[in-house]
Amino acid sequence: MAVKVRIPTPLQRLTQGKEEVEGKQGTVIELINDLEAKYPGIAERISEGGKVRRFVNIYVNEEDIRFLQAEQTPVKDGDEISIVPAIAGGEQ
Amino acid sequence: MNINPLIIPSDIFTDMLAHCRAGCPNEACGILAGKGNEISKIYKLTNIEKSPVSYFMDSKEQFEVMKDMRDNNLSMLAIFHSHPSSGAYPSAKDVSLAFYDDCVYIIVSLIEKEPVVKAFSIKEGSIEEISLTVK
């Protein structure tokens, strides 16, 4: 078993088209930093200064990390991480 | 980039307009899924901003939609939202937050008596209108 990371379509150009990649155990921010080592450019799309960007949602299994321990949420073998850019906009 | 005309079944098109009207005076939003360039499913989502000039899809609902599309082997082909008091053209905010640049962005303007619906590709700040076919 490993950590499965689901990559959203806008970021798949950074993962050579892969929808799923393997992630590192530890914490969410450690996992993001490890992804950066494998797929340069991906971390800045997800986070800034060690914090997940406002318009990006990250789930560990079924839970939004904002309701867990945010960037310090533990990630362990068998977990599924989903990176989901928010959908927003409007007239102003 | 999907530059082919987007095909929307009339019942889904009608449902999309009804969702936008029901959300008035606030903006309404949702996702259209399908295969190729043909829509087969609509997901009507909650605008958590409850604002007449802004929308932010409920992230938990969006997460569930992503799972449902994956389970049904569907792709997110279009993202729609309403402009209750402006035209059917992407705002600066729409452009800056268009992360899903392989999707078509549909805007439903409600300022006229009849809704005006237009579709766009928005990629790296560049806007291009896409034709819509309702059948």
Side-chain angles (χ1 to χ4, degrees), chain B residues 96-126:
Chain B
S96 69
L97 295 177
F99 299 125
Y100 291 89
D101 58 10
D102 56 343
C103 279
V104 171
Y105 283 83
I106 294 176
I107 299 175
V108 179
S109 169
L110 300 171
I111 48 174
E112 304 292 339
K113 190 174 177 189
E114 290 300 318
V116 176
V117 183
K118 290 189 176 172
F120 305 88
S121 80
I122 306 174
K123 190 165 188 168
E124 293 172 0
S126 164

Side-chain angles (χ1 to χ4, degrees), chain A residues 22-85:
Chain A
E22 200 167 301
K24 182 180 187 277
Q25 294 182 64
T27 63
V28 166
I29 198 67
E30 286 168 356
L31 178 138
I32 293 169
N33 292 336
D34 180 64
L35 288 178
E36 175 67 17
K38 296 176 194 160
Y39 309 106
I42 200 165
E44 67 161 343
R45 300 289 302 275
I46 301 170
S47 60
E48 185 177 28
K51 297 283 181 192
V52 173
R53 289 181 181 275
R54 179 183 170 219
F55 289 100
V56 176
N57 301 305
I58 296 184
Y59 292 82
V60 174
N61 302 315
E62 300 287 313
E63 289 297 323
D64 186 333
I65 63 164
R66 292 190 175 95
F67 301 112
L68 298 170
Q69 296 167 57
E71 293 79 8
Q72 300 306 320
T73 301
V75 175
K76 61 183 190 310
D77 221 15
D79 282 344
E80 186 174 301
I81 312 304
S82 302
I83 302 166
V84 186

